[in-house]
Amino acid sequence: MKARLDKILADSGLGTRSSVRDLIKSGTVKVNNVTEKDPGKKVDTDCDEIIVRGEHIDFRDKVYYMLNKPAGVITATEDKKQSTVIDLIKDKKRRDLFPVGRLDKDTVGLLIITNDGDMAHRLLAPGKHVKKTYLVRVDGIITSEIKSGIESGVDIGDEKPTAPAELCEIQMLEESEGKPCISEAEITITEGRYHEIKRMFEAFGLNVVYLKRLSMGSLKLDENLEEGEWRFLTDKEIQSLQR
């Protein structure tokens, strides 16, 4: 892909378009080992080599990160007061990264960070019915009636009930004198309504006390990633998501 040199460096996180223009004009940028002072120089990112102050710039047109989102961080590109999921990507930051969908501030688990708008649209489009699986814990017993109701669709106050969900791996974690019962399960949904899972259980009188996204489409959360850690998606994972 050919693009202006100043755009490539700005998208690579080296500064604003105006600041990287000054950087280029100062003579500290080389393209194919030749000093380049023209910010508008068209560079082929597939084969040309860019070096800034002696450091190689690894520019890829599309980038894909898997983040294990921790609690307390908001799913946004930027915020003046709170830490965002983009702040957790300690790699050389591109200015065009964004999260695919959102997880509530207190929800943890799998989140895709990318600059590929087409992929994000395919994963989030309502008509695609992309499956998203979560580990959920609630303060009460998930009865067979609740399981049946969630799998049939729940009236959560919207114009129409939720789409049928899948509920499995139900187990009881705590039940003793003086302590409330905590139930755990895996729930798979195909929609992305506001607080959908929490509202589904609230319709049956249960409050969600923990929620973790385990998978989205074909992509599963890497068990080796601690909360707050990230890694690049593999080529195989990217190809699977694109399909």
Side-chain angles (χ1 to χ4, degrees):
M1 182 194 77
K2 285 193 174 184
R4 288 175 56 104
L5 180 58
D6 57 355
K7 181 180 187 305
I8 292 173
L9 297 185
D11 286 347
S12 297
L14 294 183
T16 63
R17 287 287 282 271
S18 59
S19 66
V20 297
R21 288 191 193 107
D22 293 337
L23 181 69
I24 295 168
K25 292 176 181 178
S26 71
T28 58
V29 178
K30 290 185 177 182
V31 178
N32 297 328
N33 212 32
V34 177
T35 300
E36 181 56 66
K37 295 187 177 182
D38 179 9
K41 169 75 174 180
K42 289 296 182 68
V43 177
D44 190 334
T45 57
D46 293 326
C47 59
D48 291 336
E49 180 184 46
I50 304 173
I51 297 176
V52 179
R53 299 194 186 98
E55 184 176 350
H56 175 74
I57 302 301
D58 181 16
F59 180 85
R60 283 168 281 186
D61 182 29
K62 303 297 182 184
V63 291
Y64 309 86
Y65 300 87
M66 175 191 295
L67 171 69
N68 186 353
K69 179 191 173 298
V73 179
I74 63 172
T75 305
T77 54
E78 58 182 356
D79 191 274
K80 294 182 179 179
K81 296 182 179 180
Q82 303 182 73
S83 178
T84 74
V85 292
I86 301 298
D87 295 329
L88 296 175
I89 306 296
K90 301 302 183 182
D91 185 43
K92 285 184 179 297
K93 292 181 183 173
R94 299 174 57 106
R95 300 173 63 84
D96 54 354
L97 293 177
F98 60 87
V100 178
R102 68 183 303 275
L103 294 178
D104 295 335
K105 187 174 181 178
D106 60 347
T107 300
V108 302
L110 175 64
L111 190 65
I112 301 171
I113 308 289
T114 185
N115 64 335
D116 188 341
D118 290 337
M119 173 186 282
H121 175 73
R122 290 195 298 271
L123 290 173
L124 299 175
K128 297 295 184 180
H129 304 295
V130 174
K131 291 185 176 183
K132 297 172 284 288
T133 299
Y134 296 78
L135 176 69
V136 60
R137 292 174 187 154
V138 298
D139 59 351
I141 299 174
I142 302 176
T143 64
S144 58
E145 290 77 16
I146 293 175
K147 181 178 186 298
S148 177
I150 287 177
E151 292 182 340
S152 299
V154 184
D155 181 358
I156 58 174
D158 292 343
E159 292 184 0
K160 59 181 181 179
T162 61
E166 300 174 24
L167 199 61
C168 63
E169 303 296 332
I170 300 173
Q171 58 179 320
M172 200 172 297
L173 299 183
E174 296 180 15
E175 187 181 27
S176 60
E177 292 185 10
K179 291 185 178 181
C181 170
I182 300 294
S183 296
E184 179 181 274
E186 288 188 11
I187 182 170
T188 300
I189 61 175
T190 57
E191 298 178 301
R193 302 193 199 184
Y194 179 71
H195 289 171
E196 181 172 359
I197 294 176
K198 293 178 180 178
R199 294 163 68 197
M200 290 167 73
F201 281 100
E202 285 173 358
F204 294 99
L206 301 179
N207 291 319
V208 172
V209 296
Y210 179 80
L211 191 61
K212 178 179 182 178
R213 183 189 281 168
L214 303 176
S215 66
M216 184 175 188
S218 61
L219 187 65
K220 295 183 179 180
L221 179 64
D222 189 334
E223 296 179 352
N224 294 317
L225 287 180
E226 298 291 337
E227 289 187 10
E229 292 184 342
W230 58 269
R231 68 165 173 80
F232 288 107
L233 294 190
T234 65
D235 290 341
K236 184 177 180 180
E237 288 170 336
I238 295 170
Q239 291 167 5
S240 181
L241 285 175
Q242 289 173 337
R243 287 196 296 269

